[in-house]
Structures are given as C-alpha cells and as structure tokens.
Amino acid sequence: CFLFFPLLLSAQINESDTLSFKANLSLTGFYQGGNVETLIFRAKSDMSFKPLKNWVYKTKNSYIYQEFGKEKADEDILSLNFLYLNPDRKIYPLVLGFISTNFRREIDLRYLVGGGVTFEIFKKDDNWLKLAVSSEYEQTYFDETDFNISEYDGQESLNTIRGTVWLNGKYHLFKKKVIISHESYFQPSLEQSNNFRWQADIG
C-alpha cells in the first residue's frame, strides 16, 4: 500500500490476486577491485498468503549493504507488512506495520503501525487503479540529533501521527506488449505541518 523509506512505494501490490500463496526471493552481489574497491549486496523477498478465507497477508522485505573504498555507505533494512480483509471487494479495510533502518539518514529504528481503507476506482481485465487512505503512528530513533529543521535538534527520537493517501495502478497497452505501473503516496504528519514525505514511482 505505501512506503516512506527509500523504497517505500513498492508496497501495496495488487492484493486481490487469486493465488493462496506466492513468494519470491532475489539476491544480488557485486564486487569490484581496483582504485575504488566496491562491494554491494542486496536481498529482497516478497510473500503473500491467505491465513483465512477472506484475508490476505503480504510482506515485502529488503536488505542492502554497500561499501566503497572499504568505507560503509549503506546498510538498510525495510519490512512492509499488510493485512487486508475482503480484498476482492470494491472497498475493503487494511492494517499495516512497517519497520526500517537507514545508515545514511542515521535512523537506528523506525516503526509505523496503522490502518485504513482501500477503494478500487477502476478494474477491467488486467487493468486497475486503486486509492487508499490510512492513518499511522510513527516512532523513529536517530543516531544523530542535528536535523535540517532546527526545531527538532537535540531529539533522539521523534513520534507523530500521520495520514497517508496512496494511489497505484497497472495498465496493459497495445495487446499487452506494454505494461505501465505507478505507485505514489503523500504522508504528512497530522501534528507538525513541516513534517511530511512523499514519493512517486512509474515503470
């Protein structure tokens, strides 16, 4: 459904798929010697299953480690988890829970829990468009307390209530020779007007 971390937008995939269980795992490694020694490792996994007849649980997880010249540049974890009730309907509720860390942004731990509702705006054959709205509680623990907005300086942790609007869809064109997908969200704090994030992806 959403995302708010570096990947955060590849979260809400089409939860009305008919398969009872789906899973995939991707591992990528890269090493380069020479003037600038480079090491990159990425792992991604997706899984969805139906714990009960009208429920769908989806989890999307990733880990990345990058090192340049023997200096760590990234070591990030992201786990996006969704539980949908009656996702074959036009309107259905969802519960979500996210966990992440981010080395560059000096985020030791961020978690977010909440719930909302998804609206199926359009669906025909393999083409669909969905809108979701949700509200979440977010808690973030930082390794550094110097922020780009000075009013937050000195705080080792920040918490807030957020509201999120998600929009995603997929369209098959030219007799399915071209597939266009998009996923975007806007996620403001409901307590602090200068605390918000957004992301938009198209493929």
Side-chain angles (χ1 to χ4, degrees):
C1 228
F2 345 20
L3 216 323
F4 56 88
F5 311 56
L7 304 176
L8 198 58
L9 277 314
S10 2
Q12 191 171 14
I13 37 193
N14 188 14
E15 55 276 7
S16 56
D17 291 339
T18 56
L19 293 178
S20 296
F21 179 82
K22 292 194 306 182
N24 66 66
L25 173 66
S26 170
L27 300 174
T28 304
F30 175 81
Y31 174 78
Q32 174 181 293
N35 292 340
V36 180
E37 187 176 292
T38 302
L39 174 64
I40 300 174
F41 176 75
R42 293 186 177 99
K44 292 183 180 181
S45 69
D46 301 308
M47 183 181 68
S48 66
F49 68 93
K50 297 181 177 180
L52 297 172
K53 181 180 178 181
N54 296 319
W55 295 34
V56 174
Y57 171 74
K58 292 203 173 189
T59 180
K60 189 177 188 85
N61 303 281
S62 66
Y63 171 80
I64 181 171
Y65 181 87
Q66 297 190 130
E67 197 175 275
F68 301 100
K70 297 186 178 180
E71 291 288 331
K72 183 165 72 172
D74 291 290
E75 187 174 19
D76 305 334
I77 296 170
L78 175 64
S79 179
L80 310 173
N81 302 276
F82 302 91
L83 181 63
Y84 306 97
L85 179 61
N86 294 311
D88 55 335
R89 297 182 179 176
K90 296 285 187 182
I91 301 174
Y92 54 91
L94 63 95
V95 177
L96 64 94
F98 296 167
I99 297 174
S100 74
T101 66
N102 191 286
F103 177 75
R104 289 194 209 187
R105 297 170 65 198
E106 302 187 84
I107 295 174
D108 286 337
L109 175 66
R110 169 177 286 162
Y111 69 86
L112 183 150
V113 293
V117 61
T118 296
F119 303 89
E120 183 180 87
I121 299 173
F122 170 79
K123 184 177 182 182
K124 185 177 181 181
D125 301 324
D126 294 327
N127 304 302
W128 52 271
L129 176 66
K130 293 185 178 183
L131 171 73
V133 292
S134 62
S135 182
E136 305 86 21
Y137 172 78
E138 178 186 303
Q139 177 82 52
T140 306
Y141 298 93
F142 294 92
D143 186 48
E144 175 59 58
T145 59
D146 183 20
F147 298 93
N148 60 328
I149 299 177
S150 58
E151 69 181 82
Y152 298 106
D153 287 352
Q155 299 184 50
E156 294 182 355
S157 67
L158 295 174
N159 61 75
T160 191
I161 302 295
R162 294 190 182 278
T164 309
V165 178
W166 318 84
L167 185 68
N168 66 328
K170 182 178 284 188
Y171 319 99
H172 294 73
L173 307 175
F174 308 112
K175 297 181 179 179
K176 298 187 178 182
K177 293 180 180 178
V178 176
I179 300 173
I180 296 177
S181 63
H182 63 87
E183 199 162 5
S184 59
Y185 71 91
F186 178 63
Q187 192 173 63
S189 165
L190 301 181
E191 302 170 310
Q192 302 140 339
S193 61
N194 59 2
N195 184 345
F196 63 90
R197 62 175 66 97
W198 65 272
Q199 184 170 318
D201 293 341
I202 186 168

